[in-house]
C-alpha cells in the first residue's frame, strides 16, 4: 500500500514538473500564431525563460527560446520582437547574473583581449560601412561563448529532451496549419506562392530529429509518424510547393547531409552513396518537368548548371551565394587568409545577378555596393577568411572524435547539427546561440569519456522515461 502511494506521488510529481510545462509551452506557442495574439509568446518566453532560469530548469529555459522564430510574422518572440534587436543577448547576460556564474580574472582578461583584437582588426570597416554591421557581427560571435556559459550544465539527456519537444511541436504546427490555414490570409501570405507562417531557421534540424525519433523506439514515435504521414498526404494531395510548409532548401540540405553521414557508418554505405550519385547524374541529364515541385526543380537545375560551370543560369538564390564565394576568391590574398573581420564586406561584382531585391540584401547594401550580410559559407569566409574556415573544420573534427564511438543515428545527428550550424553562422543570433549549446553538449561527451562513465548510445530510454 505504501509502495503504491509512493509510486502515485512520483507519478504526480512527474506530470507536474515534466509533462505540464512542456504541454503549456506547446499550446501557448501554437495559439500565439492565431490572428490578434502575436505578442502572447513574446511575453510567455520572456517570463518563462527568467522563471525557469531561477528554478534552475535549463531544459525548459532552452525550450521557450528555441521555439521562437526569427522570421515569424504572426507571432512575436525573443528573436523577432520588433523592439530590441539584441534582446536574446541581453537575456543571456541577465541570466548569467541570476545563475551566479563564477568569472575568473583570467577569463575576463582573455575575453577583453579577444574583443579588443576583433575591433582592432575591424576598425577600418567602421569608416567603410558604419558601426551597425560591426556590432551585428560582434553579437553573432559573442553569442556563441555566452550561450555556452549560460547552459554550461546542460546534459545530453536534457538537450535531446528539448529537441524531441521542438520536433514534435514543429511537426504539429506545420500539419495543423497546412490543413487549417490554406484560405486564412492571417496564417498564409503572398498571392502567387502562398506559404504558412511556419518558417524557422531550425526547421531543417527539427525535422531531421523527427526522423531520428521515428527510427528509434520511444513514446513519441507513432505520434510523429502520424503527423509526418498527414503532412506527406497533404503535400501529395495538394498543388502546394514545399516552401508553403516552411520547408525550404535548408531543410532539404539538412536531411540530405543527415542521410549521407548515416550511410557512411554502414558497410553498404559507400555503395548506397554511389547509387545516389548515379541517380543525381541521371537527373542532370534528364529534361526538367515544368509541373514538378519548385524546390526539386531548383535542385535539378543547380546540378545541371554546375556541370556546365555557368553560374549565370543558376536559380536566383543559389546564384547570389555562389557569386559571394567567387567574388571572395578575387579579393586580395591577405583578405582571403584572414577575412574582413567584424563588419567585413565584399563589393558587388559582375558575378552577381542583374537584379537584387530585399530577399537578398538590404536596400542600403545594394545602393552602396558593399555587401555586409553574405549567406551561408560566404559569411564565414568573407568575415574570417580561410582561418575561420579552418577553425570551423577543426570544430567538426572535434565533434567527430566522440561521435564516431556513438551509434550511427547519434553520429549522423551530431555531425549534421555541426555542419548545419556552421553553414548558417551569421544567419540569425539563434544559430550562434545553438552553436554554443552544441559546444557544451560535446564538451560533456569528452568529460564522460575522461571519467569513464557509461554514456547512453541513443535517447530511446530518455524518450520513454521523460516524454
Amino acid at each position: 500500500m505504501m509502495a503504491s502511494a509512493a509510486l502515485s506521488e512520483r507519478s504526480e510529481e512527474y506530470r507536474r514538473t515534466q509533462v505540464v510545462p512542456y504541454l503549456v509551452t506547446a499550446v501557448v506557442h501554437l495559439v500565439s500564431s492565431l490572428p490578434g495574439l502575436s505578442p502572447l509568446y513574446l511575453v510567455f518566453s520572456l517570463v518563462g525563460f527568467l522563471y525557469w532560469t531561477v528554478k534552475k530548469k535549463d531544459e525548459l529555459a532552452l525550450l521557450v527560446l528555441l521555439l521562437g522564430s526569427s522570421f515569424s510574422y504572426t507571432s512575436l518572440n525573443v528573436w523577432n520582437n520588433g523592439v530590441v534587436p539584441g534582446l536574446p543577448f541581453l537575456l543571456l547576460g541577465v541570466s548569467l547574473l541570476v545563475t551566479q556564474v563564477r568569472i575568473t580574472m583570467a577569463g575576463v582578461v582573455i575575453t577583453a583581449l579577444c574583443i579588443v583584437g576583433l575591433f582592432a582588426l575591424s576598425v577600418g570597416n567602421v569608416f567603410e560601412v558604419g558601426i551597425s554591421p560591426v556590432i551585428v557581427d560582434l553579437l553573432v560571435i559573442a553569442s556563441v561563448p555566452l550561450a555556452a556559459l549560460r547552459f554550461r550544465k546542460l546534459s545530453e539527456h536534457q538537450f535531446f529532451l528539448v529537441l524531441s519537444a521542438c520536433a514534435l511541436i514543429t511537426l504539429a504546427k506545420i500539419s495543423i496549419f497546412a490543413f487549417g490555414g490554406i484560405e486564412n490570409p492571417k496564417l498564409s501570405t503572398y498571392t502567387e506562392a502562398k506559404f504558412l507562417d511556419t518558417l524557422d531557421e531550425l526547421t531543417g534540424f527539427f525535422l531531421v530529429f523527427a526522423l531520428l525519433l521515428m527510427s528509434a523506439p520511444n513514446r513519441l514515435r507513432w505520434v510523429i509518424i502520424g503527423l509526418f504521414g498527414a503532412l506527406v498526404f497533404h503535400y501529395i494531395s495538394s498543388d502546394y510547393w514545399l516552401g508553403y510548409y516552411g520547408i525550404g532548401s535548408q531543410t532539404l540540405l539538412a536531411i540530405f547531409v543527415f542521410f549521407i553521414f548515416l550511410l557512411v557508418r554502414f558497410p553498404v554505405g559507400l555503395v548506397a552513396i554511389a547509387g545516389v550519385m548515379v541517380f543525381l547524374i541521371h537527373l542532370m541529364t534528364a529534361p526538367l518537368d515544368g509541373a514538378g515541385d519548385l524546390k526539386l526543380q531548383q535542385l535539378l537545375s543547380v546540378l545541371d548548371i554546375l556541370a556546365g560551370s555557368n553560374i549565370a543560369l543558376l536559380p536566383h538564390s543559389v546564384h547570389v551565394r555562389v557569386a559571394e564565394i567567387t567574388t571572395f576568391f578575387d579579393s586580395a590574398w591577405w583578405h582571403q587568409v584572414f577575412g574582413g573581420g567584424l563588419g567585413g564586406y565584399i563589393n558587388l561584382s559582375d558575378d552577381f545577378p542583374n537584379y537584387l531585391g530585399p530577399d537578398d540584401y538590404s536596400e542600403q547594401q545594394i545602393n552602396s555596393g558593399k555587401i555586409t550580410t553574405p549567406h551561408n559559407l560566404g559569411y564565414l569566409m568573407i568575415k574570417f577568411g580561410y582561418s575561420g574556415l579552418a577553425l570551423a573544420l577543426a570544430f567538426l573534427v572535434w565533434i567527430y572524435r566522440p561521435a564516431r564511438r556513438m551509434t550511427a543515428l547519434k553520429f549522423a545527428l551530431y555531425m549534421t547539427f555541426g555542419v548545419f550550424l556552421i553553414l548558417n553562422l551569421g544567419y540569425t543570433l539563434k544559430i550562434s546561440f545553438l552553436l554554443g549549446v552544441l559546444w557544451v553538449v560535446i564538451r560533456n561527451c569528452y568529460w564522460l569519456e575522461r571519467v569513464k562513465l557509461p554514456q547512453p548510445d541513443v535517447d530511446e530510454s530518455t524518450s520513454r522515461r521523460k516524454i
Side-chain angles (χ1 to χ4, degrees):
M1 192 70 177
M2 294 179 60
S4 177
L7 182 62
S8 176
E9 290 179 2
R10 286 197 298 268
S11 178
E12 179 64 29
E13 182 181 2
Y14 168 73
R15 286 194 295 269
R16 179 174 55 83
T17 61
Q18 295 293 335
V19 177
V20 174
Y22 282 90
L23 183 60
V24 170
T25 302
V27 171
V28 173
H29 176 67
L30 293 173
V31 171
S32 65
S33 297
L34 297 177
L37 297 177
S38 59
L40 177 61
Y41 193 75
L42 173 60
V43 176
F44 178 81
S45 57
L46 285 173
V47 175
F49 177 78
L50 295 176
Y51 175 78
W52 293 121
T53 296
V54 173
K55 290 293 186 179
K56 303 186 186 306
K57 294 287 187 179
D58 285 349
E59 69 277 16
L60 291 170
L62 179 62
L63 177 66
V64 296
L65 292 185
L66 287 191
L67 287 177
S69 168
S70 300
F71 306 105
S72 175
Y73 57 87
T74 63
S75 177
L76 299 178
N77 55 79
V78 170
W79 312 100
N80 180 27
N81 57 84
V83 180
V84 184
L87 182 59
F89 194 81
L90 179 62
L91 273 181
L92 288 177
V94 172
S95 64
L96 288 177
L97 297 177
V98 174
T99 54
Q100 299 179 345
V101 175
R102 294 180 180 178
I103 302 177
T104 63
M105 182 57 65
V108 173
V109 172
I110 293 175
T111 302
L113 288 176
C114 289
I115 294 176
V116 172
L118 285 174
F119 264 112
L121 292 173
S122 311
V123 65
N125 295 330
V126 176
F127 300 99
E128 293 289 339
V129 297
I131 190 65
S132 180
V134 177
I135 296 298
V136 169
D137 288 342
L138 178 62
L139 292 179
V140 167
I141 301 304
S143 292
V144 178
L146 194 60
L149 189 61
R150 164 60 184 86
F151 289 96
R152 64 200 179 281
K153 296 182 180 180
L154 188 75
S155 67
E156 184 184 59
H157 166 85
Q158 293 172 318
F159 182 58
F160 276 19
L161 186 62
V162 172
L163 290 182
S164 299
C166 288
L168 176 61
I169 295 171
T170 298
L171 265 180
K173 182 176 181 179
I174 296 176
S175 301
I176 292 172
F177 282 20
F179 285 94
I182 297 178
E183 302 301 333
N184 191 328
K186 297 293 185 180
L187 300 181
S188 58
T189 187
Y190 294 160
T191 55
E192 297 180 358
K194 295 193 300 183
F195 67 93
L196 294 171
D197 182 23
T198 54
L199 181 61
D200 188 292
E201 56 265 56
L202 292 178
T203 296
F205 187 72
F206 290 158
L207 292 183
V208 165
F209 199 82
L211 292 176
L212 185 146
L213 290 176
M214 287 191 289
S215 304
N218 55 80
R219 291 184 179 181
L220 288 180
R221 185 179 190 180
W222 293 109
V223 176
I224 291 182
I225 288 177
L227 290 171
F228 192 81
L231 189 59
V232 171
F233 170 78
H234 188 276
Y235 172 67
I236 294 176
S237 60
S238 68
D239 58 353
Y240 290 103
W241 57 301
L242 286 177
Y244 170 78
Y245 306 91
I247 301 174
S249 54
Q250 295 282 357
T251 302
L252 300 180
L253 179 62
I255 294 175
F256 178 76
V257 171
F258 175 78
F259 277 110
I260 291 297
F261 280 122
L262 186 61
L263 288 173
V264 298
R265 290 295 300 270
F266 296 98
V268 296
L270 294 178
V271 177
I273 293 175
V276 172
M277 296 302 297
V278 171
F279 175 68
L280 292 178
I281 292 174
H282 169 72
L283 291 179
M284 290 166 59
T285 58
L288 295 178
D289 181 8
D293 185 270
L294 177 58
K295 287 300 177 183
L296 182 59
Q297 291 287 320
Q298 289 186 354
L299 174 62
L300 299 184
S301 62
V302 168
L303 295 172
D304 188 38
I305 293 166
L306 288 180
S309 301
N310 188 356
I311 68 171
L313 300 177
L314 287 168
H316 181 81
S317 60
V318 182
H319 185 181
V320 169
R321 286 158 173 78
V322 174
E324 292 171 353
I325 301 296
T326 57
T327 304
F328 167 80
F329 288 150
D330 292 334
S331 60
W333 69 267
W334 62 85
H335 186 277
Q336 294 187 40
V337 174
F338 301 106
L342 303 178
Y345 65 93
I346 54 172
N347 293 307
L348 287 177
S349 67
D350 294 336
D351 292 338
F352 283 87
N354 293 328
Y355 168 78
L356 293 173
D359 290 338
D360 304 311
Y361 310 107
S362 67
E363 184 178 355
Q364 180 183 2
Q365 294 181 65
I366 297 174
N367 292 336
S368 66
K370 300 181 186 298
I371 304 304
T372 60
T373 57
H375 305 83
N376 303 112
L377 190 61
Y379 181 90
L380 189 65
M381 299 179 70
I382 291 168
K383 303 292 182 178
F384 309 106
Y386 298 131
S387 301
L389 183 61
L391 186 62
L393 292 176
F395 180 71
L396 290 178
V397 172
W398 188 67
I399 295 176
Y400 172 79
R401 288 181 58 190
R404 65 184 176 180
R405 289 183 285 274
M406 300 175 185
T407 61
L409 287 174
K410 277 184 67 175
F411 168 81
L413 178 73
Y414 277 128
M415 294 304 298
T416 302
F417 202 14
V419 171
F420 183 86
L421 292 179
I422 286 175
L423 287 180
N424 287 280
L425 184 65
Y427 190 28
T428 65
L429 284 181
K430 188 176 174 182
I431 296 295
S432 301
F433 178 86
L434 259 293
L435 194 58
V437 173
L438 178 63
W439 185 88
V440 168
V441 174
I442 297 298
R443 182 206 60 183
N444 290 341
C445 291
Y446 275 98
W447 181 81
L448 287 174
E449 288 183 354
R450 284 202 306 270
V451 298
K452 297 181 180 180
L453 291 177
Q455 181 179 357
D457 262 343
V458 288
D459 60 318
E460 297 99 325
S461 60
T462 294
S463 300
R464 282 195 292 265
R465 289 196 304 268
K466 296 292 184 182
I467 300 179

